[in-house]
């Protein structure tokens, strides 16, 4: 456990957060709430990274028992308590379009349904609510769902949020509590005192700090390299289709059972598994594709086509609905599909909160809680070892 | 699914596209001309709808003779199989496919029809993008009242269907384009109450070289001005519309005179009654397809995002040329010259014997561009228009986003560019995807962040991997350039 960062005058922050995505925003807010002085710095605008290109599912349903589910459960509780925080004339939850509408996972065949049943049983042991829905009762949940499904499970704790609004409001709350947010200012290096990281250098200034948090998402590997340590975060491309606004016809987040397998897959090839959900704005979001093609920004029509085909198959009523746009993001993933969270023993003073792949929106608040606990020297609520930054192998020499 | 294979695909059948297509086809190249419109001519030479009644397009259309003869010649070449004319084809995606380009189209003039007929893919070895521009709009108090239309919209009504837009009309905004609009309306029976021009043509005095280089252009404007005089249409220079008045629909406008500093001069505000207000603040080039291909862009003098081209109209992407408004708003004459240069260059790259009249063409282009640049400087958008946008003024009509929401996204939430504003407050997220409010959102964002509009602000609205709405069922169908496969899974 590192020392508690010390306040050293006005120009030094207790904590510099690199990255103003949802993870950096959440960490900045939790740290200010714990009494730390915080500076957030981003090379671009706020929410300009993957947070500005993601969907806002906060899921328990797709997680198998293990460290990620533990983190998801912690995060789920954080989202619920933050939802009621008074904000302006309303609440944080309403402002960021947090909807506790629940997820519905459906299976097309009996074998998949059996798989779902096994997963649900394991999840229930850990406190996840999962309700079996027989095929003939699915229309009560989703009237427009294809009847070509064997059955499914409802997950009442699954939620949805507008991720950009969530990140922006977390940053706003942090600023209100005294944090500074610097945008369009890339971090180009670290300030060091021997082994110890003592701040960051940007293209404009030096920012001394008691501790530095690497929350640079898909680019976290590059930031870590500036401090001489290896954190193998790589991009995993994903597309989302957005339809024209519709009257509410899809009530839950609905997805096919194979989504769970795809999320955990190691394949580099294009995979799509169908995820369909309505939003507060009336548009329907259709995901999700996964492929490992580096930062390739050219549009992949096969990916868009597979997403469209999957959505029409699940909800035939969508056939004539227009797609207005498609957007693409690069999920930050690590080889073992787990995020990197906590202090880096190889570079004292440096902490990480990155590599959340396709679940960083949902996992951001739990991550922020763990990071803050370790910064102020409290025992972390869940075991940080599975998320250790040095779990991947040898250090790159400085 | 229908597939076509050609040497050159020209996207857009306006002045630039037609000129490019004809130049290349005459040089022996097999050309497809693809356009979303049902009839050729683009925004500028809108042909009347069949059965639109008696008309004399020649009186309405500048350059009509060039258009009809080009059109006739292309039809002739279409008869020989050299030219393929694909009207009513809306391109939603252009992609590299091996050493060719795949141009994916949906059919039907309206997005609602896009699902009904089989899609079309044009495979081409070279591309000329001549995608034109559409009306640039700015919000102001009352602009969402029925009766307020765009200047281009009024022009389209006149040209396409020969309907007079309304009885008492005011034409407002800025730029020489307002004059032909007013003239056309007046000649077709509308009472044009006034032309409200924010700037003054006297500004051209600062650019004698540009004016001398393109004397014809000024003559054109003088001609319209003379005709307006005969129709007793008053042109008020250095005046702006401060607001549209009316409860359920437009009944009048509030106008004011600008002083030297661009402020409304005290005591000059007055009301003018009207049924229709046609507003034009210039044009926004359509850059969806060039951006899909990764073509380099820059900001033009009029703050439009435009495709960067070299002396041959070649873009930064090999095998792709661009011409017309997509490379900078400058009118039909310039577009025609650029189109011809692009068509010849694309033909030459295919091995055709197409050197032709290069030098004079380039000289003509350079003087027309000089004039266009002077025009943009003489007719800027006055700051006062955006300053008059109050928090309650609606900016995005599709998503009902007001100017206050945009301001709060910047001031309260910390957005620093238009894309972030779009993500946080939803302007430009609706059916039209920012065609109406994109430029205004970019300008308002820049204003609130205390800087000038920059490229990323405009890219936020033009950067679209699907250029036009496509039904899910249509998108789900396999495309020509991929093997049909299983269901993804
Ligand atoms: C298509 C798609 C769908 C998704 N759906 C979901 C979902 O439903 N639910 C969910 O929970 N998650 C989802 N995700 C994943 C989620 O979007 C990400 O996990 C999450 O946004 C990561 O947040 P972040 O803050 O770590 O990274 P980012 O948002 O990328 O933030 C990192 C920031 O670091 C900045 N940065 C990088 N380098 C530097 C530097 N040198 N100096 C300064 N700043 C720097 C970047 O500019 C960026 O702003 C989805 C992702 C995609 C692509």
């Amino acid at each position: 456990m590192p020392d508690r960062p010390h306040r050293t005058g006005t120009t030094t922050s207790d904590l510099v957060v690199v990255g103003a995505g949802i993870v950096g925003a959440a960490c900045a807010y939790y740290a200010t709430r714990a009494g730390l002085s915080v500076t957030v710095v981003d090379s671009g605008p706020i929410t300009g990274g993957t947070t500005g290109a993601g969907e806002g599912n906060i899921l328990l349903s797709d997680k198998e028992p293990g460290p990620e589910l533990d983190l998801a459960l912690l995060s789920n509780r954080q989202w619920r308590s933050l939802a009621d925080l008074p904000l302006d004339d309303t609440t944080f939850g309403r402002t960021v379009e947090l909807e506790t509408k629940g997820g519905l996972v459906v299976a097309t065949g009996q074998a998949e349904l059996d798989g779902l049943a096994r997963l649900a049983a394991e999840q229930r042991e850990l406190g996840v609510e999962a309700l079996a829905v027989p095929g003939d009762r699915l229309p009560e949940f989703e009237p427009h769902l294809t009847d070509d499904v064997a059955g499914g499970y409802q997950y009442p704790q699954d939620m949805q949020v507008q991720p950009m609004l969530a990140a922006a409001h977390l940053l706003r709350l942090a600023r209100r509590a005294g944090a500074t947010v610097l945008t369009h200012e890339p971090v180009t290096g670290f300030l060091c005192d021997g082994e110890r990281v003592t701040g960051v250098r940007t293209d404009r200034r030096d920012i001394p700090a008691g501790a530095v948090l690497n929350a640079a998402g898909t680019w976290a590997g590059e930031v870590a390299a500036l401090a001489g340590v290896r954190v193998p975060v790589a991009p995993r491309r994903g597309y989302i289709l957005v339809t024209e606004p519709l009257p509410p016809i899809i009530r839950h987040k609905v997805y096919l059972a194979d989504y769970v397998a795809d999320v955990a897959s190691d394949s580099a090839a294009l995979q799509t598994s169908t995820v369909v959900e309505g939003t507060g704005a009336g548009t329907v979001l259709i995901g999700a594709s996964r492929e490992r093609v580096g930062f390739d920004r050219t549009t992949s029509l096969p990916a868009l086509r597979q997403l469209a085909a999957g959505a029409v198959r699940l909800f035939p009523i969508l056939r004539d609905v227009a797609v207005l746009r498609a957007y693409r993001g690069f999920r930050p993933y690590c080889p073992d599909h787990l995020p990197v969270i906590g202090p880096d023993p190889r570079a004292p003073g440096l902490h990480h909160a990155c590599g959340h792949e396709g679940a960083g929106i949902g996992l951001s608040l739990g991550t922020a809680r763990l990071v803050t606990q370790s910064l102020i020297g409290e025992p972390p609520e869940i075991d940080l070892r599975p998320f250790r930054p040095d779990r991947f192998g040898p250090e790159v020499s400085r | 699914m229908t597939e076509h294979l050609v040497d050159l695909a020209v996207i857009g059948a306006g002045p630039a596209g037609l000129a490019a297509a004809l130049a290349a086809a005459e040089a022996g190249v097999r050309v497809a001309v693809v356009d979303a419109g049902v009839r050729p001519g683009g925004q500028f030479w809108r042909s009347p709808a069949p059965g639109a009644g008696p008309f004399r397009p020649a009186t309405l259309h500048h350059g009509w003779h060039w258009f009809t003869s080009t059109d006739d010649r292309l039809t002739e070449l279409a008869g020989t199989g050299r030219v393929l004319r694909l009207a009513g084809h809306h391109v939603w995606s252009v992609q590299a496919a091996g050493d060719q380009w795949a141009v994916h189209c949906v059919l039907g003039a309206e997005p609602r029809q896009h699902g009904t007929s089989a899609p079309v893919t044009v495979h081409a070895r070279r591309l000329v993008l001549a995608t034109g521009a559409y009306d640039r709009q700015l919000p102001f108090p009352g602009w969402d009242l029925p009766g307020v239309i765009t200047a281009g919209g009024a022009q389209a009504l006149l040209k396409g269907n020969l309907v007079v837009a309304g009885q008492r009309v005011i034409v407002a905004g800025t730029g020489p384009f307002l004059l032909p609009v007013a003239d056309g309306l007046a000649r077709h029976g509308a009472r044009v109450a006034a032309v409200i021009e924010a700037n003054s043509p006297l500004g051209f005095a600062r650019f004698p070289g540009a004016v001398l280089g393109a004397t014809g252009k000024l003559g054109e404007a003088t001609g319209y001005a003379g005709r307006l005089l005969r129709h007793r249409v008053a042109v008020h220079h250095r005046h702006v519309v401060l607001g549209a008045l009316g409860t359920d629909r437009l009944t009048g406008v509030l106008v004011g005179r600008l002083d030297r500093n661009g402020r409304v001069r005290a005591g000059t505000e007055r009301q003018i009654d009207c049924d229709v207000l046609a507003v034009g603040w210039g044009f926004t080039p359509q850059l969806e397809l060039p951006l899909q291909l990764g073509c380099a862009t820059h900001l033009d003098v009029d703050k439009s995002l435009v495709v960067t081209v070299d002396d041959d109209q070649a873009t930064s992407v090999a095998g792709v040329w661009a011409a017309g408004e997509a490379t900078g708003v400058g009118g039909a004459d310039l577009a025609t010259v650029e189109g011809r240069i692009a068509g010849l260059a694309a033909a030459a790259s295919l091995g055709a014997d197409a050197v032709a009249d290069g030098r004079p063409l380039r000289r003509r282009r350079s003087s027309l561009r000089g004039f266009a640049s002077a025009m943009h400087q003489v007719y800027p958008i006055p700051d006062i228009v955006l300053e008059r946008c109050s928090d309650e003024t609606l900016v995005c009509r599709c998503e009902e986003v007001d100017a206050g929401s945009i301001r709060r996204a910047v001031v309260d939430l910390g957005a620093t560019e238009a894309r972030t504003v779009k993500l946080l407050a939803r302007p430009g997220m609706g059916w039209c995807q920012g065609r109406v409010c994109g430029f205004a959102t970019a300008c308002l964002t820049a204003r609130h962040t205390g800087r000038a509009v920059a490229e990323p602000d405009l890219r936020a609205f033009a950067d679209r991997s699907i250029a036009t709405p496509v039904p899910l069922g249509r998108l789900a169908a396999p495309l020509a350039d991929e093997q049909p496969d299983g269901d993804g899974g």
Side-chain angles (χ1 to χ4, degrees), chain B residues 12-262:
Chain B
L18 292 179
L22 184 60
E26 298 273 26
V29 165
R30 204 174 124 68
V31 184
V33 189
V34 188
D35 197 282
V38 184
R39 291 174 297 279
Q43 294 286 346
F44 192 75
W45 291 304
R46 223 175 260 269
S47 320
F55 64 91
R56 285 173 50 229
T59 62
L60 263 181
H61 295 342
H62 178 72
W64 181 255
H65 177 71
W66 184 91
F67 169 58
T68 47
S69 64
T70 304
D71 192 49
D72 289 350
R73 183 74 188 118
L74 283 170
T75 308
E76 220 175 285
L77 288 165
T80 70
R82 176 103 49 89
V83 170
L84 185 64
R85 308 195 68 167
L86 301 173
H89 282 54
H90 213 137
V91 179
W92 63 272
S93 167
V94 209
Q95 291 227 311
D99 55 357
Q100 288 183 349
W101 303 104
V103 180
H104 299 295
C105 317
V106 280
L107 269 59
E110 294 300 321
R112 287 289 169 207
Q113 305 162 346
H114 287 170
T116 51
S117 42
V120 172
T121 297
V122 181
H123 301 276
R125 293 162 65 198
R126 303 284 188 272
L127 284 180
V128 172
L129 304 175
T131 45
Y134 52 88
D135 278 288
R136 185 195 259 181
Q137 300 181 59
L138 290 176
F140 56 93
W143 75 305
D144 48 331
L145 278 173
V148 181
I149 60 174
T150 64
Q155 179 92 333
L157 283 179
L158 272 179
K159 284 184 174 177
N161 314 308
L162 298 170
V163 197
V164 170
Q167 301 99 27
R168 227 177 120 81
V169 191
I170 286 181
V171 179
T174 195
F177 176 64
L178 299 183
L179 299 181
V181 171
D183 177 50
L185 287 164
R187 277 196 292 158
H188 286 77
R191 282 188 294 143
V192 179
V195 175
I196 309 294
E197 163 61 67
N199 294 289
S200 160
L202 295 176
F204 274 118
R206 287 186 286 141
F207 305 95
V211 172
L212 275 178
T215 36
K217 300 301 292 181
L218 212 57
E220 232 173 78
T222 323
Y224 287 123
R227 283 213 289 274
L228 286 176
L229 214 58
R230 281 203 296 286
H231 287 292
R232 306 228 166 95
V233 176
V235 181
H236 301 284
H237 292 119
R238 303 199 54 76
H239 277 66
V240 289
V241 168
L242 300 169
L245 309 170
T247 40
D248 308 327
R249 64 166 294 119
L250 181 76
T251 54
V253 296
L254 188 66
V255 303
R257 193 191 153 102
L258 299 180
D259 67 17
R260 247 193 239 138
N261 303 317

Side-chain angles (χ1 to χ4, degrees), chain A residues 195-249:
Chain A
E195 284 282 281
R196 196 176 173 81
V197 165
T198 58
V200 297
R201 170 159 294 167
T202 73
D203 64 345
R204 236 161 293 169
R205 70 193 104 199
D206 287 353
I207 311 174
V212 176
L213 178 70
N214 174 13
T218 316
W219 302 270
E222 291 157 34
V223 171
L226 295 174
V229 292
R230 189 174 91 93
V231 174
V233 182
R236 196 176 185 190
R237 187 169 76 176
Y239 282 99
I240 305 283
L241 301 178
V242 188
T243 70
E244 60 186 303
L246 301 172
I249 53 169

Side-chain angles (χ1 to χ4, degrees), chain A residues 120-139:
Chain A
E122 289 170 12
Q123 289 169 325
R124 278 197 204 107
E125 306 258 306
L126 297 161
V128 177
E129 294 170 45
L131 314 169
V133 185
D136 57 353
R137 289 206 43 219
L138 279 172

